[in-house]
Amino acid sequence: MNFFEQQAQARRSTTRLVVLFALAVAGIVLAIDLAVAAVAGPNWGLLAFSTLATLAVIGLGSLYRLASLRGGGDAVALQFGGTPVPQDTTDASLRRLRNVVEEISIASGVPMPSLYVLENEAAINAFAAGYSTSDAAIAVTRGALDRLNRDELQGVIAHEFSHVLNGDMRLNIRLMGVLFGILMISLIGRKVLYLGGGRDRNAAAIMMAALVALVVGSIGTFFGRMIKASVSRSRERLADASAVQFTRQTAGLAGALKKIAGLSDGSRLSDRADAEEASHMLFGDGVGFSGLFATHPPLLERIQALEPGFRSEQLERLRGQWALTPPSGLQEDRMMGLDGHAGALPARDAHLDVTPPMVSAQVGNPEADDYVRADAIVHGMPGSLRTLAQSREAVLPLVLGLLLDDDAGIRGRQLPEITARLGEEVARGALALHGGDLAGLHPMQRLPLAALAFPVLRRRPRPELEAFLDTVHAVVHGDGKVSLFEYCLARLLEVQLRESLDPRRHARFGRRKPGSVRQEFATLLAVVAQAGNPGDPAAAQRAYLAGLQRVLPRDHLPYAPPANGALALDEVWPALDALEPLAKQLMVEAVTAAASHDGRISVAESELLRTICGVLHCPLPPGLEAA
């Protein structure tokens, strides 16, 4: 699965969505105009009015729904009845869910999403929502928590993470918004018929108009279901395949699908209206449509793609077994001993053998080794740090502690900046953590620890979040001398949190070509080359040229490291992030070539590369050395 190709495909799907939406609108307008002409005759003024009124209703309906989804993943999860999962929950099933999502988040290089449970839904289902990784939310039903064992839950969550990685989330949320507009005519007709037209002399005309709107509105319903089905089915097959590739086994995902097929509750949600609106986002069919309107491949087909020898007779036996004794996920965990087995982290001074294509192939494409490494990263962290990352009170000093410099003189200038903005208690806490638990943290654990803190940070009030981001900026730029890692970690924090304040504004697929960002690209390569070869300008120049030849082989941009070092990158990120997906793939390969021009890359350089990828929305898993 190529992340960059899937992002490009998602962008093309967005274009197709616009075309299909335009065709649906044209069909509705034509049907309304024909109805008006049949009643009033060929009155061109009236027909023009009906056309404009229909377009206005559809347009305003879409704009209204998109505005209601402006808050991103959290807004969607809350609108569909999600209950936030507490950071410090002691509920065994919720704790298991949080642990599974943390591990998959680290393995994929995606910041920890917000978690929700649909408590009133006994069916097995889940969805991911949001405009980007900065505002992603994952919601699972209570039925999924109760019925699925840990491996099965991992399969479902990995499936949802695939939607996060492949750009499906923003496509799905936009789909919800635009389709609401073409359903407006039908909704208005249904509402008027339900309320009645009153007793005045115009009541009959009003009721007739409402009936026409309901009938014509069925065209919108038809097109809406067709659009969702055409966009969704292929993406669901891809998500199944990605989940298997990610979690290293087929049994978990196949087991979840078998339980959906074999239990009476299946995956259908109790609130049919909500289920139909979100049907294209769900893990399993939440409504019960089939044929042309099916948003998911048939369950048996999905199971057989994972287990080719599985037959319908086996499914019937499972139905009979579970009708007598429904499965319990937690009980199955205890019987099968499904506990994580942590791997080992590489030595701090290790050098990894990598190639640029190898790294770009891993972006957004976690493999089995990445999951094992994520397990090692999570379980290798001091428990106290994981607890602090989930604490509303402690998360600010924890993240700022990661940014404090090892040089006492620079720290002496950073701490007053924290005190002035957030208070002396936060500054003392950051200093204590920097010299305590954070001092022994493996380089590969710093970014994952920050990523685990994102959901807690995102829930802080906007003024507090603005003050925190201002503090991060001041700490990093305090003396104008900052390491590339500290700069990039701070930038990653700023990107993720600022986007979470207004997710819809930042949701976009880039369209720029490499040739349009020559100078910005050269600056990034120069900074990376200089940081990887301090004190050796000749080696830095060779590293720079190795990267430049990957993307701009005919250009002769001279090696010119900026005087202000990493701070020069402030000017390049917007242009580089606006590159089209496949151009970003070339850029990732170029940065890798610069960092590994001698054929090897250090653990510290691999973390630097991961940070750059995170800033540019190309999540990189933590297991480069496993390749």
Side-chain angles (χ1 to χ4, degrees), residues 21 57-59 61-62 65 176-185:
F21 176 70
V57 168
I58 294 172
S62 292
R65 191 67 180 111
M176 286 177 64
V178 298
L179 292 186
F180 187 83
I182 64 177
L183 297 175
M184 280 294 291
I185 304 294

Side-chain angles (χ1 to χ4, degrees), residues 79-417:
Q79 286 183 33
F80 286 95
T83 301
V85 176
Q87 302 288 335
D88 56 352
T89 180
T90 57
D91 180 280
S93 59
L94 295 181
R95 187 71 255 162
R96 181 184 62 165
L97 171 66
R98 182 165 288 283
N99 289 340
V100 166
V101 176
E102 284 177 357
E103 291 170 7
I104 295 183
S105 172
I106 291 171
S108 62
V110 172
M112 179 74 179
S114 302
L115 295 181
Y116 292 84
V117 175
L118 305 180
E119 290 286 4
N120 297 323
E121 297 292 349
I124 298 173
N125 225 319
F127 66 80
Y131 286 100
S132 71
T133 58
S134 306
D135 69 295
I138 288 179
V140 300
T141 60
R142 172 51 66 177
L145 293 182
D146 290 345
R147 300 303 180 200
L148 301 182
N149 62 44
R150 196 178 199 276
D151 275 353
E152 292 163 351
L153 188 61
Q154 283 176 355
V156 172
I157 297 299
H159 175 104
E160 296 308 321
F161 262 81
S162 173
H163 289 309
V164 175
L165 289 164
N166 291 333
D168 296 340
M169 284 196 316
R170 77 183 81 178
L171 176 65
N172 286 339
I173 205 169
R174 286 170 174 164
L175 196 56
M176 286 177 64
V178 298
L179 292 186
F180 187 83
I182 64 177
L183 297 175
M184 280 294 291
I185 304 294
S186 178
L187 292 174
I188 291 172
R190 186 180 298 118
K191 195 70 173 178
V192 172
L193 287 174
Y194 175 75
L195 295 176
R199 297 183 178 179
D200 60 27
R201 60 183 179 180
N202 296 320
I206 293 173
M207 295 299 286
M208 181 58 69
L211 183 60
V212 170
L214 184 61
V215 172
V216 171
S218 63
I219 298 173
T221 303
F222 173 83
F223 274 109
R225 291 172 179 171
M226 286 287 291
I227 291 171
K228 285 193 290 187
S230 66
V231 170
S232 177
R233 274 197 297 263
S234 62
R235 310 300 290 180
E236 290 301 317
R237 289 189 178 94
L238 173 67
D240 280 352
S242 298
V244 170
Q245 181 173 319
F246 188 2
T247 58
R248 74 200 181 278
Q249 44 92 4
T250 60
L253 185 59
L257 293 170
K258 288 174 188 176
K259 286 181 177 176
I260 289 176
L263 292 169
S264 58
D265 289 319
S267 59
R268 292 195 190 185
L269 302 186
S270 58
D271 189 328
R272 184 179 172 85
D274 282 353
E276 178 160 359
E277 187 177 16
S279 59
H280 59 293
M281 300 168 55
L282 299 172
F283 171 74
D285 175 26
V287 184
F289 290 142
S290 59
L292 292 176
F293 297 145
T295 52
H296 296 68
L299 278 171
L300 187 59
E301 177 185 320
R302 293 175 73 182
I303 296 170
Q304 289 174 337
L306 303 168
E307 295 183 8
F310 189 81
R311 296 291 177 263
S312 58
E313 300 81 39
Q314 295 170 267
L315 192 56
E316 289 302 322
R317 285 197 294 271
L318 288 175
R319 285 181 180 140
Q321 173 188 333
W322 288 331
L324 297 173
T325 309
S328 166
L330 291 175
Q331 185 177 350
E332 288 181 8
D333 285 351
R334 288 190 290 269
M335 293 174 61
M336 293 187 289
L338 292 176
D339 298 315
H341 300 285
L345 293 174
R348 291 169 182 260
D349 58 352
H351 284 78
L352 319 175
D353 294 326
V354 300
T355 64
M358 176 195 301
V359 173
S360 69
Q362 285 188 272
V363 171
N365 190 29
E367 299 267 6
D369 287 339
D370 297 310
Y371 191 86
V372 174
R373 182 55 43 79
D375 193 45
I377 290 172
V378 171
H379 290 92
M381 285 182 192
S384 58
L385 291 180
R386 292 178 64 192
T387 301
L388 293 175
Q390 297 169 359
S391 165
R392 179 182 173 84
E393 291 72 26
V395 69
L396 297 186
L398 174 68
V399 175
L400 291 170
L402 285 168
L403 291 170
L404 289 179
D405 201 278
D406 290 332
D407 183 279
I410 297 177
R411 266 201 323 274
R413 289 188 285 274
Q414 290 175 323
L415 290 170
E417 300 286 359

